[in-house]
Amino acid sequence: MRAKIVAGNWKMNKTLEEGLSLASEVVNMVADEVSGDVKVVLCTPSIYLHAVSKLVSGKVSVGAQNAYEKESGAYTGEVSPAMLATVGVKYVILGHSERREYFHETNAQLATRTDLVLKQGQTPIFCCGETLAQREKGIHLDFVKQQLTESLFHLSNEQITKVVIAYEPIWAIGTGVTASNDQAQEMHALLRAHLASKYGQSIADSISILYGGSCKPDNAQGLFACKDIDGGLIGGASLKARDFVDVIKSF
Ligand code: 13P
């Protein structure tokens, strides 16, 4: 049985006050309305993590949107997984396409970050996904497989089972264009087969693979019903408690 997970990525949005009120609303609504085994993660801007970690409970945990690949030292402006652990962070998004594009994060850096996040006992949410140009050229499947190979395939069998993967086609992020259920399922099945080729089928079957990219209340149900889709990484729709909780209830 794979864990069902819905993570909200707030990106660089909300004031502290707005963030705390959104987090409280989500915690209360999840407690009142969500039954069954689903894990909910609020990936807030790092400056709010400490405060939000104090008000989450039940099915809801906090996650960071990034972490650096060193434990400590002269890296002005960066935050390490070890530091995140001290403020109650349980999940860390790694390799979001916005980080790869604007901050030039590489597969090799993300491999090191994954190691450090795992060392802290946190769950990496490892993002992968192709551009529209890559999909149109027909190289999207190989491109996404390579992202996994270069950042994750050094992990042991035990370590890989602690990783969550998020497939986020870049052309679907913040655009209102969602991958169709078939497009998403095709990629998720391919990712699982790729994991199986390295780690064996039973380990591959235990790893949660989330979909991200314009996932919202009116399309989440169809996506989450696909065999290899185990939840979502939600941007825009995680900024309103009602929408986010409706996505969570789409299982
Ligand atoms: P949107 O849901 O706004 O498309 O963002 C998806 C995303 O990037 C989540 O990490």
Side-chain angles (χ1 to χ4, degrees):
M1 241 318 245
R2 289 192 286 274
K4 295 186 168 82
I5 302 169
V6 179
N9 176 7
W10 294 3
K11 307 191 180 182
M12 198 175 73
N13 290 297
K14 303 289 180 189
T15 62
L16 174 62
E17 199 184 337
E18 289 164 352
L20 292 177
S21 111
L22 172 59
S24 310
E25 267 186 279
V26 170
V27 169
N28 292 334
M29 288 165 83
V30 167
D32 290 347
E33 302 178 27
V34 180
S35 56
D37 262 348
V38 46
K39 297 180 185 188
V40 177
V41 188
L42 302 178
C43 300
T44 80
S46 60
I47 195 169
Y48 308 151
L49 286 167
H50 189 215
V52 174
S53 76
K54 297 207 177 300
L55 58 80
V56 294
S57 60
K59 300 181 199 301
V60 187
S61 328
V62 287
Q65 297 176 13
N66 183 35
Y68 197 54
E69 66 262 21
K70 302 283 183 186
E71 305 217 19
S72 65
Y75 303 101
T76 302
E78 293 298 330
V79 175
S80 70
M83 295 161 86
L84 293 171
T86 66
V87 298
V89 166
K90 305 286 187 234
Y91 293 78
V92 182
I93 297 175
L94 291 176
H96 191 283
S97 60
E98 289 150 15
R99 302 281 331 164
R100 293 175 186 265
E101 180 181 355
Y102 305 132
F103 303 97
H104 313 294
E105 293 180 359
T106 63
N107 289 342
Q109 277 179 301
L110 297 169
T112 311
R113 293 180 190 197
T114 303
D115 293 342
L116 289 188
V117 166
L118 287 171
K119 191 172 160 196
Q120 293 302 325
Q122 296 154 332
T123 302
I125 302 178
F126 179 82
C127 299
C128 57
E130 80 286 0
T131 62
L132 185 57
Q134 287 167 328
R135 179 166 280 265
E136 284 172 350
K137 271 199 234 155
I139 58 172
H140 53 298
L141 301 175
D142 283 343
F143 178 78
V144 174
K145 268 163 62 175
Q146 192 180 350
Q147 290 181 316
L148 259 61
T149 305
E150 292 185 3
S151 296
L152 300 181
F153 277 18
H154 65 289
L155 298 176
S156 68
N157 286 9
E158 200 205 330
Q159 286 175 313
I160 195 77
T161 60
K162 305 205 160 94
V163 174
V164 169
I165 291 170
Y167 169 58
E168 297 205 308
I170 295 168
W171 46 272
I173 296 177
T175 57
V177 180
T178 320
S180 68
N181 298 342
D182 288 348
Q183 284 172 321
Q185 168 57 29
E186 178 192 35
M187 183 62 88
H188 283 231
L190 174 109
L191 291 174
R192 201 174 304 289
H194 190 47
L195 289 164
S197 73
K198 167 81 179 166
Y199 294 102
Q201 195 62 48
S202 77
I203 287 181
D205 283 340
S206 73
I207 296 174
S208 298
I209 308 180
L210 316 183
Y211 169 80
S214 299
C215 181
K216 33 187 191 278
D218 63 6
N219 58 28
Q221 207 168 354
L223 288 160
F224 294 178
C226 296
K227 183 169 163 282
D228 288 291
I229 300 182
D230 307 304
L233 181 54
I234 316 300
S238 74
L239 298 175
K240 285 199 189 133
R242 181 69 272 156
D243 287 352
F244 187 52
V245 174
D246 283 346
V247 170
I248 298 164
K249 287 163 75 180
S250 300
F251 280 113

